Amino acid sequence: PVLFLDIDGVLNSLAWWDRRPPRVPHADHDDRAEFDPQAIALLDHILSVTDADVVISSAWRQGRTVEQLRDLLASVGLTRTWQVVGKTPDVWWHHDILDKFGEDRGVEIAMWLTEHRPEGCVFAIVDDDGDMWELTNRWVHTPNTIGLTSETADRLIALLSEKQVIHVPVVK
C-alpha cells in the first residue's frame, strides 16, 4: 500500500501551534518545531501496522529531495523513514497535464501512480485540503485545526489494509 502524506494540517495543526513551546525571538527558523510529536507517533503507528510506502504530497516536498524529507522526518521522531519512497510531481512543471486536468493535488497523486504503480495498488491520502480530483474516495480529511488523530489514523489503517487493488485514471 501507499500513503500519500500532506504535512501542514496533518502532522501539525492550529491546536499544536497553540500548545507548542514558544519560539525564541530572532532565532533561526527550525522546521522541526512545526511537527506535532503526537501526530508523528500516530504516523509511525500507521506505518508499522500497514507497512505502507509513504509518498510526500505536501508543499514541503518542493525544494527538497526524498532523502532530505526522510532526514527531516527522522529529526522529528519518525522511526520508519525508510518507508518514505517518493514525492509527488508538481503539476505546474507539466503544462500539458495542467491544461488538461487542472492543478488539484489529486492530479499530482494520479501522476505519481501512473508512473510508479501503473498496475494499480491499494492507497490512501491524508490531507487537510480536499482538492483530490477523482480520488476523494481514498482521501481521509484531517481538519487543520486538529491534524492527525487516532480516529483518522484508524480510517487510514482501514483503507491501507484493503485487499482490492485500486486503478486510477491515467494522467500523462
Side-chain angles (χ1 to χ4, degrees):
V2 179
L3 175 62
F4 291 92
L5 177 66
D6 183 29
I7 293 177
D8 290 326
V10 177
L11 298 182
N12 61 38
S13 65
L14 297 177
W16 164 245
W17 290 333
D18 286 344
R19 70 177 190 275
R20 73 180 175 181
R23 290 186 183 190
V24 177
H26 308 293
D28 288 338
H29 179 73
D30 183 354
D31 284 339
R32 294 173 299 176
E34 301 295 324
F35 291 85
D36 180 348
Q38 292 173 333
I40 293 294
L42 284 168
L43 177 60
D44 245 345
H45 173 69
I46 293 165
L47 299 180
S48 69
V49 170
T50 65
D51 202 32
D53 290 338
V54 176
V55 175
I56 306 297
S57 56
S58 170
W60 283 69
R61 74 193 190 281
Q62 296 166 344
R64 291 182 173 95
T65 66
V66 173
E67 190 60 39
Q68 289 170 325
L69 290 164
R70 280 188 201 120
D71 290 347
L72 175 61
L73 290 169
S75 76
V76 296
L78 188 70
T79 62
R80 303 180 69 88
T81 56
W82 69 88
Q83 289 175 248
V84 178
V85 300
K87 60 183 188 170
T88 55
D90 189 338
V91 74
W92 286 102
W93 298 106
H94 303 271
H95 298 289
D96 53 331
I97 293 173
L98 181 63
D99 292 343
K100 189 174 183 181
F101 297 101
E103 62 178 291
D104 286 355
R105 184 162 288 172
V107 171
E108 294 171 332
I109 290 168
M111 288 170 66
W112 190 93
L113 288 166
T114 296
E115 181 178 345
H116 298 279
R117 300 291 195 279
E119 71 285 355
C121 69
V122 173
F123 71 93
I125 304 163
V126 60
D127 203 308
D128 64 322
D129 288 325
D131 57 341
M132 293 303 142
W133 187 55
E134 295 183 17
L135 307 180
T136 54
N137 61 332
R138 307 305 301 172
W139 169 57
V140 175
H141 180 237
T142 56
N144 67 359
T145 53
I146 58 173
L148 188 62
T149 64
S150 57
E151 292 80 16
T152 52
D154 288 345
R155 290 204 317 267
L156 288 164
I157 289 169
L159 282 172
L160 292 166
S161 299
E162 291 177 358
K163 300 298 182 209
Q164 184 170 349
V165 170
I166 309 299
H167 298 277
V168 299
V170 173
V171 176
K172 57 181 178 177

